[in-house]
């Protein structure tokens, strides 16, 4: 078996890999458009090949010109008996080349655990990913707001303002991260200083296609900082981005006003759909989405290496 990253001339055979399970995958249209935009790159698509036939394929996503950031799709040919073993080996080869193990993101419908087809599709992939070092499991709830929902009222308690200085956001992010229920932030804080973690987060949000000028600080009418609200966008369209309330300001329902401001901002631009994810374990955030008329339409499963 040959394990290798792909080249331009593999394209036809890559397009021939078909996943017909109830799970997100790198289907031909996605493969072609992301190869063109640079979010997929042949260096970050790996195959297991025997006698010129692709028996397994793994596809990673990243920003154009950047490192692979998330595993997007794992395919194994139906003729392979040990699909877990082959997929795990393929991932291990790619991880060895990358020098780390990017997270694996899979989108499934709500209720996937009760759906035998979807849970089977997840089960073998998770086992393979686990064998390749992706052992931490996280379930994120995907929410959407659509323009037929009521437009939130402007906040009566908070004043929102823009701020050009990234350092001000770094400081606010650092404070908001204290006591967070967000898995990724907590994981990052286990190995990174609060200042550095905040700096990395700000840098990541800056890379997103949303405008930096959309970012807002929220203050009380007395001028005390309450939190941040960052409407943004990803490749698929407008997103909530990030919001957070300082620990000393929590428990007053300010989350509703920050989320309301982000939703209003997008709605005022004529946006028809705003998407957001939050960890299933971040109950105050999930409840805020539900109060604001966001609908939980799917689940994002994330597997990552243990820290
Ligand atoms: C999620 C968040 C914005 C909620 O803000 P908030 O304005 O305090 O929310 P609410 O006022 O609705 O809080 C509801 C309840 O949850 C509690 N709560 C809020 N955040 C909490 C936290 N991080 N840990 C424990 N409890 C929390 C509140 O104290 C309140 O409890 P009570 O009902 O007993 O008074 C805030 O926790 C936060 O900034 N977290 C860090 C950043 C984050 O997770 N952002 C979302 C990323 S998708």
């Amino acid at each position: 078996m040959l394990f290798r990253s792909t080249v331009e001339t593999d394209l036809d055979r890559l397009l021939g890999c078909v996943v017909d399970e109830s799970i997100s995958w790198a289907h031909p249209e996605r493969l072609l458009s992301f190869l063109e935009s640079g979010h997929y790159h042949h260096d970050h698509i790996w195959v297991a090949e025997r006698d010129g036939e692709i028996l397994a394929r793994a596809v990673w996503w990243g920003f154009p010109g950047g490192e692979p950031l998330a595993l997007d799709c794992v395919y194994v040919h139906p003729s392979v008996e040990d699909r877990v073993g082959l997929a795990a080996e393929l991932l291990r080869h790619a991880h060895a080349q990358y020098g780390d193990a990017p997270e694996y993101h899979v989108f499934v419908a709500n209720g996937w655990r009760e759906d035998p087809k979807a849970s089977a599709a997840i089960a073998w992939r998770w086992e393979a990913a686990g064998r390749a070092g992706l052992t931490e499991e996280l379930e994120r709830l995907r929410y959407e707001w659509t323009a037929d929902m009521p437009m939130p009222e402007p906040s009566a308690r908070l004043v929102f303002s823009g701020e050009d200085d990234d350092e001000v956001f770094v400081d606010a992010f650092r404070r908001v991260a204290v006591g967070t229920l967000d898995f990724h932030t907590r994981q990052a804080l286990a190995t990174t200083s609060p200042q550095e973690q905040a700096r990395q987060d700000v840098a990541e949000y800056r890379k997103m296609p949303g405008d930096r000028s959309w970012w807002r600080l929220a203050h009380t009418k007395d001028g005390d900082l309450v939190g941040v609200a960052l409407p943004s966008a990803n490749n698929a369209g407008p997103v909530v981005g990030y919001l957070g309330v300082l620990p000393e300001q929590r428990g007053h329902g300010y989350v509703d006003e920050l989320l309301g401001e982000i939703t209003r901002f997008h709605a005022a631009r004529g946006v028809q759909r705003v998407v957001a994810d939050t960890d299933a374990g971040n109950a105050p955030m999930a409840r805020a989405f539900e109060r604001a008329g966001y609908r939980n339409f799917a689940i994002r499963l994330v597997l990552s290496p243990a820290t």
Side-chain angles (χ1 to χ4, degrees), residues 176 179-180 242-245 250-255 278 282 284-285 291:
V176 158
T180 182
Y242 186 63
L243 63 83
V245 172
R250 288 183 189 147
H252 301 298
Y254 284 134
V255 63
T278 197
N282 197 344
M285 194 62 237
R291 284 195 298 271

Side-chain angles (χ1 to χ4, degrees), residues 6 33 35 70 138 162 178 248 300:
T6 59
S33 73
L35 276 172
L138 173 69
V178 176
E248 59 270 32
R300 179 200 296 256

Side-chain angles (χ1 to χ4, degrees), residues 35-274:
L35 276 172
E36 193 178 330
S37 67
H39 293 94
Y40 286 168
H41 191 282
H42 281 293
D43 290 348
H44 307 151
I45 300 177
W46 279 69
V47 290
E49 188 183 50
R50 193 168 51 206
D51 302 330
E53 194 186 353
I54 294 179
L55 293 183
R57 183 192 77 168
V59 183
W60 281 263
W61 179 94
F63 289 112
E67 299 297 306
L69 291 181
L71 174 60
D72 221 15
C73 181
V74 175
Y75 155 91
V76 174
H77 192 277
S79 69
V80 174
E81 252 170 54
D82 180 13
R83 57 187 175 178
V84 171
L86 183 62
E89 215 177 332
L90 177 62
L91 298 184
R92 280 196 297 262
H93 275 86
H95 292 168
Q97 178 76 35
Y98 299 158
D100 72 351
E103 293 175 345
Y104 183 16
H105 289 220
V106 186
F107 299 93
V108 279
N110 287 322
W112 65 273
R113 283 196 173 82
E114 288 74 51
D115 172 357
K117 225 182 145 197
S119 46
I122 298 293
W124 71 265
R125 289 180 170 84
W126 282 37
E127 200 186 330
R131 285 195 204 170
L134 302 171
T135 51
E136 293 279 341
E137 299 175 12
L138 173 69
E139 185 156 332
R140 284 172 68 78
L141 307 173
R142 311 213 68 207
Y143 284 97
E144 66 175 352
W145 180 90
T146 46
D148 56 336
M149 308 279 191
M151 167 96 106
E153 294 293 320
S155 168
R157 298 185 291 175
L158 300 180
V159 180
F160 290 92
S161 55
E163 168 59 60
D164 291 339
D165 184 354
D166 276 1
E167 285 306 305
V168 176
F169 277 102
V170 169
D171 196 51
F173 270 52
R174 180 183 57 74
R175 294 170 68 186
V176 158
V178 176
T180 182
L181 300 171
D182 182 77
F183 173 83
H184 276 117
T185 312
R186 293 164 72 107
Q187 201 183 34
L189 284 171
T191 54
T192 316
S193 74
Q195 184 75 10
E196 186 50 29
Q197 187 279 328
R199 205 175 289 288
Q200 286 173 6
D201 251 16
V202 165
E204 286 302 315
Y205 282 101
R206 252 191 169 284
K207 280 192 215 152
M208 292 178 68
D211 262 28
R212 166 66 176 81
S213 67
W214 298 348
W215 297 12
R216 291 290 178 268
L217 295 171
H219 290 90
T220 61
K221 295 215 158 120
D222 294 336
D224 295 328
L225 183 64
V226 167
V228 294
L230 276 71
S232 191
N234 63 21
N235 294 125
V239 296
V240 165
Y242 186 63
L243 63 83
V245 172
L246 304 189
E248 59 270 32
Q249 304 281 7
R250 288 183 189 147
H252 301 298
Y254 284 134
V255 63
D256 294 342
E257 283 154 78
L258 298 176
L259 179 57
E261 183 67 15
I262 292 173
T263 312
R264 278 167 50 76
F265 170 80
H266 280 312
R269 302 191 297 125
V271 157
Q272 294 299 303
R273 181 172 185 256
V274 183

